[in-house]
Amino acid sequence: QVQLVESGGGLVQAGGSLRLSCAASGGTFSMQTMGWFRQAPGKEREFVGAISWSGGDTYYGDSVKGRFTISRDNAKNTVYLQMNSLKSEDTAVYYCAARVGWTGVTDRWQYSYWGQGTQVAVSS
């Protein structure tokens, strides 16, 4: 059983930056693909990006490509989401999630474990 706790959310002006963290406990963090998703009010949960267990592969949703970067530190059991050039449409609750494997990495239903989410609000 993997427990995930996100932190780092908050209010930021458009064009600013935030870094989210997701700390994992239990299970074998270093063997997990880690994903970030977000959900805005009234919308479906959206894939933001993912990183493979080794950190060697990353994949991003089109809406954040070039602005967001995912990294991980397996020694600290932590994955990060660096968000730059934030826009008002990035406002959402951000969730980290864990799974084994890489196939279908954008599919939320492929993830076994989820954090409770952290709110990001971008003011224009």
Side-chain angles (χ1 to χ4, degrees):
Q1 191 80 5
V2 177
Q3 293 81 44
L4 303 172
V5 179
E6 302 96 335
S7 61
L11 176 63
V12 63
Q13 287 189 330
S17 298
L18 275 177
R19 188 176 81 155
L20 306 183
S21 299
C22 173
S25 60
T28 307
F29 174 78
S30 61
M31 297 303 294
Q32 305 280 339
T33 291
M34 299 300 297
W36 284 97
F37 291 76
R38 66 186 183 186
Q39 189 165 18
K43 294 190 175 181
E44 292 288 318
R45 193 164 295 191
E46 175 190 16
F47 172 77
V48 173
I51 187 166
S52 63
W53 67 270
S54 67
D57 292 298
T58 54
Y59 189 76
Y60 298 94
D62 288 342
S63 61
V64 306
K65 203 171 293 183
R67 299 187 298 123
F68 290 11
T69 303
I70 297 175
S71 60
R72 67 190 294 162
D73 185 338
N74 286 344
K76 296 182 178 179
N77 286 356
T78 302
V79 63
Y80 305 97
L81 179 65
Q82 178 66 45
M83 305 185 294
N84 298 329
S85 303
L86 283 160
K87 307 175 182 179
S88 57
E89 51 263 44
D90 294 319
T91 294
V93 177
Y94 283 71
Y95 299 89
C96 69
R99 57 164 288 181
V100 174
W102 189 251
T103 302
V105 72
T106 64
D107 182 356
R108 58 178 288 196
W109 302 109
Q110 297 291 329
Y111 289 78
S112 302
Y113 306 101
W114 291 84
Q116 83 290 346
T118 186
Q119 177 72 54
V120 171
V122 183
S123 62
S124 56

